[in-house]
């Protein structure tokens, strides 16, 4: 058991149905007079976050709407949002959306506070000046970005996804309200859910994993495996939507402290080169990568099985390796049940860019926290198996 660890516990969290109604009063408490509300155009037009605007209007908060957030946000979109923030004279951020929106707000806050070019701040721990206040409101239950101190951005010139990370980027408050998930399209909900599950499983495999983060990650895995099917069937059911929201936020705190693994190394280039949804890409790679990591993860995967097999009589007669393999099979089965594609071929993704994607994956930060160190060729083979 690793009993030498550091934990950044992140922002205050207000969890619960209708907690978004407290947004206006929470802005006042944080001294936010003219926040920029960031969201994406689809979410804005769906009406799913009207309740955000109503809460701000009720509290007489004078906000500016920025609804141009991109999926897989680019450096240029962050520069654009920062220009608007300065032009309008905003003093704080509210990010209402999925990971792209929350990551955009964090990256814009870094650029606003520190100036220069966004690329000056790529990497970990380079930022010196504190960011303006930020409230994050997740609407997809997946990325955990509401409780992490990092932002994933796509550099359009280098054609890579990269990270900006520092403790100054933590939101001041995360409002996690599962009633916002009711209108989330099924396919997006399934991808986001697999993202959260991947965060927890990769967090447990990281050498930085500790009893603190394992507790969070294990609870998250248990909730996802128990409630995923019911949630994907109908996102408006309170019990399962609450369970998945909680799981995603717990997973965010876990991986925010441990780092991730090569499911993410493989998924990010697919976002950069083929615009594949991040969570869907993770869901496709997760079972293959668990098999790749099995030599180092046998005990942990077997322990995970106890969370998934409470009523399974066969489980009691299995040895450790059988239990570990059974865990992988159960994760695979879950992905199929919620209609995550089994291969990249099914999505008509070709071998185009395979060499450069393998190279980018091998150079990613997540390789360092994967339990088994892969070569570039190992990563290429993992792509090839699914292409
Ligand atoms: Fe992720």
């Amino acid at each position: 058991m690793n009993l030498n660890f550091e934990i950044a516990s992140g922002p205050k969290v207000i969890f619960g149905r209708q907690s978004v109604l407290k947004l206006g009063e929470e802005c006042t408490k944080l001294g936010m007079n003219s926040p920029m509300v960031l969201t994406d155009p689809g979410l804005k037009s769906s009406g799913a976050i009207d309740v955000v605007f109503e809460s701000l209007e009720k509290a007489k908060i004078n906000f500016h709407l920025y609804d141009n957030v991109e999926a897989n946000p680019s450096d240029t979109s962050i520069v654009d949002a920062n220009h608007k923030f300065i032009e309008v004279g905003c003093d704080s951020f509210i990010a209402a959306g999925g990971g792209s929106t929350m990551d955009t707000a964090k990256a814009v806050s870094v650029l606003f506070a520190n100036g220069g070019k966004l690329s000056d701040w790529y990497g970990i721990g380079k930022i010196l000046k504190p960011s303006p206040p930020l409230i994050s409101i997740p609407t997809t239950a997946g990325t955990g970005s509401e409780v992490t101190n990092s932002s994933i951005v796509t550099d359009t010139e280098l054609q890579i996804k990269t990270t900006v990370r520092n403790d100054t980027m933590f939101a001041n408050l995360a409002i996690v309200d599962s009633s916002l998930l009711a209108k989330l399209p099924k396919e997006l909900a399934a991808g986001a859910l697999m993202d959260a599950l991947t965060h927890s499983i990769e967090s447990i495999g990281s050498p930085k994993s500790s009893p603190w983060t394992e507790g969070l990650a294990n609870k998250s895995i248990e909730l996802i495996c128990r409630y995923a099917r019911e949630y994907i069937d109908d996102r408006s059911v309170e019990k399962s939507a609450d369970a998945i929201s909680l799981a995603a936020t717990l997973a965010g705190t876990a991986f925010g402290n441990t780092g991730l693994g090569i499911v993410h190394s493989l998924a990010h280039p697919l976002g950069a080169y083929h615009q594949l949804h991040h969570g869907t890409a993770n869901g496709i790679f997760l079972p293959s990568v668990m098999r790749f990591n099995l030599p180092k993860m046998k005990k942990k995967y077997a322990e995970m099985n106890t969370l998934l097999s409470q009523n399974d009589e066969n489980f009691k007669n299995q040895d450790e390796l059988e239990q570990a393999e059974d865990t992988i099979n159960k994760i695979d089965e879950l992905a199929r049940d919620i209609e995550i594609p089994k291969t990249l071929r099914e999505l008509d993704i070709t071998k185009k860019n395979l060499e450069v994607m393998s190279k980018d994956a091998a150079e990613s930060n997540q390789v360092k926290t994967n339990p088994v160190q892969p070569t570039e060729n190992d990563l290429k083979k993992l792509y090839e198996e699914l292409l």
Side-chain angles (χ1 to χ4, degrees), residues 292-318:
F292 177 82
N293 287 334
L294 184 59
K296 283 274 179 74
M297 290 297 290
K298 198 167 65 172
K299 187 166 183 283
K300 291 278 166 91
Y301 290 166
E303 285 168 0
M304 225 178 263
N305 204 318
T306 61
L307 303 171
L308 317 179
S309 306
Q310 285 149 4
N311 300 314
D312 185 348
E313 280 303 308
N314 293 331
F315 162 74
K316 291 171 189 150
N317 301 321
Q318 292 172 333

Side-chain angles (χ1 to χ4, degrees), residues 143 195 199 255 260 264 268 278 282:
T143 69
D195 190 25
H199 292 158
F255 90 81
L260 291 161
H264 276 74
H268 284 152
H278 172 68
N282 283 335

Side-chain angles (χ1 to χ4, degrees), residues 206-384:
S206 163
K208 292 182 183 168
S209 178
S210 68
W212 188 307
T213 57
E214 266 186 46
L216 301 172
N218 278 331
K219 187 67 192 172
S220 158
I221 293 166
E222 184 186 347
L223 288 169
I224 291 173
C225 292
R226 186 163 170 195
Y227 289 100
R229 294 162 180 89
E230 194 181 320
Y231 167 70
I232 295 302
D233 211 36
D234 184 352
R235 273 83 62 220
S236 69
V237 176
E238 181 174 341
K239 194 173 177 186
S240 45
D242 266 350
I244 300 301
S245 283
L246 179 58
T249 303
L250 295 177
T253 304
F255 90 81
N257 282 284
T258 60
L260 291 161
I262 61 168
V263 176
H264 276 74
S265 307
L266 292 159
H268 284 152
L270 280 162
Y273 291 97
H274 295 276
Q275 287 71 51
L276 181 58
H277 180 267
H278 172 68
T280 305
N282 283 335
I284 293 171
F285 283 111
L286 183 59
S288 312
V289 170
M290 288 180 80
R291 286 189 186 99
F292 177 82
N293 287 334
L294 184 59
K296 283 274 179 74
M297 290 297 290
K298 198 167 65 172
K299 187 166 183 283
K300 291 278 166 91
Y301 290 166
E303 285 168 0
M304 225 178 263
N305 204 318
T306 61
L307 303 171
L308 317 179
S309 306
Q310 285 149 4
N311 300 314
D312 185 348
E313 280 303 308
N314 293 331
F315 162 74
K316 291 171 189 150
N317 301 321
Q318 292 172 333
D319 65 22
E320 192 175 73
L321 179 61
E322 286 170 331
Q323 287 173 18
E325 284 172 341
D326 190 49
T327 295
I328 301 174
N329 292 338
K330 283 192 168 84
I331 299 293
D332 206 346
E333 206 177 288
L334 171 66
R336 303 294 82 74
D337 285 354
I338 62 170
E339 296 177 21
I340 296 291
K342 197 167 175 58
T343 64
L344 298 168
R345 286 187 293 280
E346 287 168 51
L347 299 169
D348 293 327
I349 292 175
T350 64
K351 290 192 177 179
K352 190 181 159 204
N353 300 316
L354 176 62
E355 298 296 329
V356 68
M357 289 199 306
S358 306
K359 186 170 175 288
D360 288 354
E363 287 171 358
S364 71
N365 272 330
Q366 292 87 12
V367 167
K368 294 175 199 150
T369 41
N370 195 68
V372 177
Q373 288 304 292
T375 63
E376 188 176 321
N377 202 37
D378 290 331
L379 294 164
K380 189 177 168 191
K381 275 190 200 156
L382 284 161
Y383 278 127
E384 280 176 328

Side-chain angles (χ1 to χ4, degrees), residues 174-222:
I175 297 180
V176 185
D177 180 342
S178 76
S179 66
L180 297 172
L181 302 170
K183 293 180 181 171
L184 182 66
K186 189 174 172 176
E187 204 181 312
L188 278 180
L193 185 151
M194 289 310 293
D195 190 25
L197 181 60
T198 306
H199 292 158
S200 288
I201 292 174
E202 298 216 290
S203 172
I204 287 173
S206 163
K208 292 182 183 168
S209 178
S210 68
W212 188 307
T213 57
E214 266 186 46
L216 301 172
N218 278 331
K219 187 67 192 172
S220 158
I221 293 166
E222 184 186 347

